[in-house]
């Protein structure tokens, strides 16, 4: 999206837009700070009595649904000018740190309760952040075999349940479910 596109979408001239934001990167930083604020609201709304793994799953579900609705911007590359703008935009940094603290606390609680594998919380946190902009969603959507809701469920399952079979009973049930889904897809 260009600055012209943004100016047109909000109904102002491009020069007026530049009075508020000196560059596309600054505009993107402000937009990312708003996304983080929405994510914080979702995190804060999680019931205190919910299991930490369920809170993490709920926040990731929200983020994936936002991604599926094209309302979740992609994370910047490590070496981008956008990354620099984000790190120099205090509202973004503040919200990111707050969200990271909430999620990290849930990760550590889930690990202590045996609900999650023992990896450094930072590794799990960045894995969750990366999943929110994973191109797998777009690839599966382009294939046309699954709805956005199914894709979100699949991404949640691979994130939280992994790819290994849990036990033979679950394996048989999962295989049966996949075969039934494959039969339905092939008939359409």
């Amino acid at each position: 999206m260009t600055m012209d596109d943004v100016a047109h979408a909000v109904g102002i001239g491009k020069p007026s837009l530049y009075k508020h934001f000196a560059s596309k990167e600054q505009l993107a930083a402000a937009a990312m700070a708003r996304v983080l604020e929405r994510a914080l609201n979702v995190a804060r709304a999680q019931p205190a009595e919910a299991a930490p793994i369920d809170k993490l799953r709920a926040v990731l579900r929200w983020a994936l649904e936002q991604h599926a609705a094209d309302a979740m911007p992609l994370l910047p590359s490590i070496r981008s000018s956008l990354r620099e703008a984000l790190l120099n935009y205090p509202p973004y940094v503040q919200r990111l740190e707050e969200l990271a603290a909430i999620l990290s606390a849930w990760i550590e609680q889930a690990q202590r309760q045996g609900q999650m594998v023992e990896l450094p919380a930072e590794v799990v946190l960045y894995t969750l952040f990366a999943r929110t902009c994973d191109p797998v969603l777009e690839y599966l959507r382009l294939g046309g075999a699954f709805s956005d809701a199914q894709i979100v469920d699949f991404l949640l399952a691979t994130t939280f349940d992994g790819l290994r079979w849990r036990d033979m009973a679950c394996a048989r049930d999962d295989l049966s479910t996949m075969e039934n889904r494959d039969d339905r897809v092939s008939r359409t």
Side-chain angles (χ1 to χ4, degrees):
M1 179 174 268
T2 67
M3 292 296 269
D4 288 322
D5 295 335
V6 173
H8 179 72
V10 295
I12 62 174
K14 188 174 173 180
S16 296
L17 187 61
Y18 276 110
K19 288 180 184 175
H20 298 282
F21 304 100
S23 68
K24 224 186 321 191
E25 289 78 16
Q26 285 184 356
L27 173 63
M32 289 292 290
R34 290 187 66 195
V35 168
L36 283 175
E37 185 61 38
R38 292 190 345 250
L40 277 166
N41 290 337
V42 171
R44 292 177 189 130
Q46 296 308 303
E49 67 279 359
I53 194 83
D54 293 335
K55 294 176 187 181
L56 289 165
R57 187 182 289 266
V59 172
L60 183 56
R61 175 177 292 282
W62 170 83
L64 290 170
E65 288 170 347
Q66 294 296 297
H67 184 158
D70 295 323
M72 179 66 71
L74 298 180
L75 293 176
S77 151
I78 290 175
R79 294 181 189 87
S80 73
S81 58
L82 175 56
R83 181 179 181 279
E84 285 299 313
L86 291 171
L87 294 177
N88 289 312
Y89 189 65
Y92 172 83
V93 173
Q94 176 188 12
R95 289 173 178 100
L96 180 61
E97 288 173 350
E98 185 178 348
L99 183 60
I102 292 169
L103 298 179
S104 293
W106 292 344
I107 290 165
E108 291 167 2
Q109 290 170 0
Q111 289 173 332
R112 280 193 304 275
Q113 294 173 7
Q115 298 174 333
M116 184 177 278
V117 19
E118 294 281 335
L119 290 170
E122 184 177 26
V123 171
V124 178
L125 179 66
Y126 283 119
T127 299
L128 295 175
F129 282 161
R131 182 52 54 141
T132 65
C133 59
D134 193 330
V136 169
L137 192 145
E138 282 83 15
Y139 291 135
L140 290 172
R141 183 186 281 164
L142 287 172
F146 309 108
S147 69
D148 284 353
Q150 288 174 308
I151 294 169
V152 167
D153 287 340
F154 294 150
L155 293 176
L156 286 168
T158 57
T159 300
F160 288 99
D161 304 328
L163 298 173
R164 288 189 333 184
W165 291 114
R166 290 163 300 287
D167 63 31
M168 287 313 292
C170 287
R172 282 191 295 275
D173 291 345
D174 289 348
L175 185 57
S176 174
T177 300
M178 284 188 264
E179 288 171 348
N180 290 336
R181 185 195 69 237
D182 290 343
D183 288 343
R184 286 193 306 271
V185 169
S186 66
R187 281 187 249 144
T188 59

